[in-house]
Amino acid sequence: MSNLDIKAFVFDAYGTLFDVHSVIDKCNELFPEKGEEISQLWRQKQLEYSFLRQLMGTYKTFYSITKDALYYACVQIGVDLSDEKEKKLLDSYLELAHYEEVEGVLGELKSYQTAIFSNGSLDMLIPLVEQSSFGHLLDEVLTVDEVKQYKPTPMSYQLVLQKLGVKREEVLFMSSNPWDIAGASNFGFNTAWINRQDRVMDELGVKPHFVYKDLNGIVEHKS
Amino acid sequence: MSNLDIKAFVFDAYGTLFDVHSVIDKCNELFPEKGEEISQLWRQKQLEYSFLRQLMGTYKTFYSITKDALYYACVQIGVDLSDEKEKKLLDSYLELAHYEEVEGVLGELKSYQTAIFSNGSLDMLIPLVEQSSFGHLLDEVLTVDEVKQYKPTPMSYQLVLQKLGVKREEVLFMSSNPWDIAGASNFGFNTAWINRQDRVMDELGVKPHFVYKDLNGIVEHKS
C-alpha cells in the first residue's frame, strides 16, 4: 500500500511497454555482420537527434527523426540501405512485441486513468497500440507531437496534466529511460523507473521515487 | 580567396583546438583494462548531460557535469573511482595538448578578431589556454556559462555577437563536433566543420558551409 493519491498511471512506450528488441532482430536479419552495431548507433542517434532538434528549435516528428537516424547509422557504418530495407526497418517499429506483464498490470488499473505518453508521433504509436492486445485497457495515447516539445522538457510533460485533468502529484509516471525519469521527476510527477536491464541511474540531480525491475511493482500504488 | 566578409574567427575548444586524447591516455593509465570503455562512456555522458540539463532547465557548469559523467561511467562500468583518481582525470582536462596546426593558423589571423567559444566553464578554459602556447593570439575566451545556455541553443551562440560586436554573417565558426556545427549553421554563422576523423555529418537538417580535415583550410577565408 502506498501513501500516494495516484489518479493517473502514465507510461512511456519504447522500452517501457514495448520491447525494441525486435528492431534489433530485424537489423541482424538485414545486415548479418553489422546488425548489432547498426541498431545501437540507430537508437543512439534517434535519441540524440530528438534532444538536439529540441535545443536548436527545429522540431520534426519522431518518425522523421527515426528515419534520419537510420540513414546516418547506415552511411557511417558503411552498409547500403535500400528503400526496401528502410521500409522493413521502419515498419518493425510498428509491430513491436510488448513486455509480458503489461496486459496483466493494465488490467489491475481499470479504475484509474491510464495513458501512454511518448516522444513517438501518432503515425508510429497508433498502429503499435492497435496491433497489441491491450489497446482497450488504455484511456489515452498522448504524444509530444501535439505540443512539438520533446521529453524531457517541462513543457512536454505539461501536456499530460492538460489532457488528463490531473495534478502533478496525482500522476505516477513509468519509464525505463533514465533521462525520461529525470525529466518527469524534475517536472513534479511521481516516478517509477522500470530498470529492466539493471543499469545505474544517470547523474542528473534527480532520482526516481521508485525503482522496479518490471511493471509488476507499480500496482502497490493503487490506493 | 573567399567571397565572405569575415570579421571574427571563432573556435570551439574540445576536439577543435585541443586534443582530448590525453584524457583517454590518463584513463588507460589509471584503469588499465577498461580505460577505453570508461573514456568513451565519460565523453558520451558529458555531452548527453549538457543537452539534458539544458532541456530540463537545470543548468550546472560543464566542470560539474564532467565530474558527474565520470562518476556515472565508473559506477556503470564497475571500477572504483578514488578521490585521487578523480582529481587526476579532471585535471587532465586542464592540460590538454593542442593540435599541431593551431598556433600557425592563429598567427595568420592576427588582423581579425579571434575567440574560443565553448560549453566549458572558465575554471576549465582559463587554465587550459594559459598552459598553451597560443593564449596571446586569442582576443577572447567565451563560455556559455555566462548565459547558462549550452550549445546548440540559438541563445548560446547569441553571446558571440554580443561580445564581439559582429553580425552573424561576419563570423566563421569552427568545430569538430557535428552537433555544434549544426547549431551554429542553424543560428546563422558561417561554419567550417573540422572533420579530423573522417566522419559522416549528422542528419540534422543543416550542413556545414565548409569542411576541412584540420584548421589549415580556414585561412582561405581571409579577405
Side-chain angles (χ1 to χ4, degrees), chain A residues 26-164:
Chain A
K26 185 60 77 178
C27 275
N28 283 325
E29 183 193 318
L30 296 179
F31 306 109
E33 301 290 298
K34 303 196 161 169
E36 194 72 26
E37 201 186 344
I38 289 169
S39 57
Q40 212 171 326
L41 188 56
W42 183 13
R43 174 65 177 163
Q44 183 194 320
K45 288 288 165 180
Q46 182 194 43
L47 285 178
E48 195 183 302
Y49 289 0
S50 70
F51 300 154
L52 288 170
R53 282 188 168 272
Q54 186 65 43
L55 291 169
M56 294 194 295
T58 58
Y59 179 90
K60 69 194 256 194
T61 67
F62 202 63
Y63 184 82
S64 301
I65 279 177
T66 300
K67 205 167 158 174
D68 288 346
L70 174 61
Y71 176 83
Y72 173 89
C74 289
V75 176
Q76 179 63 49
I77 290 168
V79 298
D80 187 46
L81 180 68
S82 63
D83 288 353
E84 192 193 357
K85 283 182 179 173
E86 185 191 65
K87 186 174 178 344
K88 279 185 181 164
L89 286 164
L90 291 170
D91 282 354
S92 66
Y93 261 98
L94 311 179
E95 298 158 1
L96 301 174
H98 60 79
Y99 290 100
E100 58 177 1
E101 80 277 14
V102 173
E103 200 169 343
V105 168
L106 286 175
E108 289 215 47
L109 301 173
K110 273 185 190 160
S111 57
Y112 296 85
Q113 286 199 76
T114 55
I116 284 179
F117 176 55
S118 169
N119 271 344
S121 34
L122 288 185
D123 50 0
M124 296 177 79
L125 293 174
I126 296 295
L128 183 60
V129 171
E130 281 182 352
Q131 60 89 52
S132 80
S133 55
F134 55 79
H136 63 291
L137 295 170
L138 284 164
D139 296 315
E140 298 273 358
V141 177
L142 305 177
T143 167
V144 302
D145 192 43
E146 190 162 338
V147 283
K148 313 235 179 296
Q149 281 276 334
Y150 279 115
K151 296 192 276 186
T153 69
M155 286 274 286
S156 69
Y157 298 103
Q158 187 71 38
L159 181 75
V160 172
L161 304 186
Q162 182 196 325
K163 287 287 179 174
L164 302 184

Side-chain angles (χ1 to χ4, degrees), chain B residues 53-66:
Chain B
R53 282 188 168 273
Q54 186 64 43
L55 290 169
M56 295 194 295
T58 59
Y59 179 92
K60 68 193 259 198
T61 68
F62 202 63
Y63 184 81
S64 301
I65 279 178
T66 300

Side-chain angles (χ1 to χ4, degrees), chain B residues 1-11 104-116 136-140 164 166 169-172 174 218-223:
Chain B
M1 287 295 289
S2 163
N3 292 326
L4 302 174
D5 182 20
I6 300 301
K7 297 201 170 134
F9 288 78
V10 180
F11 301 85
V105 169
L106 286 175
E108 290 214 47
L109 301 174
K110 273 185 190 160
S111 56
Y112 296 86
Q113 286 198 76
T114 55
I116 284 178
H136 62 291
L137 294 171
L138 285 165
D139 296 315
E140 298 274 358
L164 302 185
V166 291
E169 63 272 21
E170 293 169 340
V171 172
L172 184 65
M174 276 59 68
I218 70 166
V219 296
E220 68 175 313
H221 301 292
K222 292 167 65 176
S223 52

Side-chain angles (χ1 to χ4, degrees), chain A residues 45 49 76 200 202-203, chain B residues 45 49 56 76 200 202-203:
Chain A
K45 288 288 165 180
Y49 289 0
Q76 179 63 49
V200 173
D202 273 305
E203 289 295 316
Chain B
K45 287 289 165 180
Y49 289 1
M56 295 194 295
Q76 179 63 48
V200 172
D202 274 304
E203 290 293 315

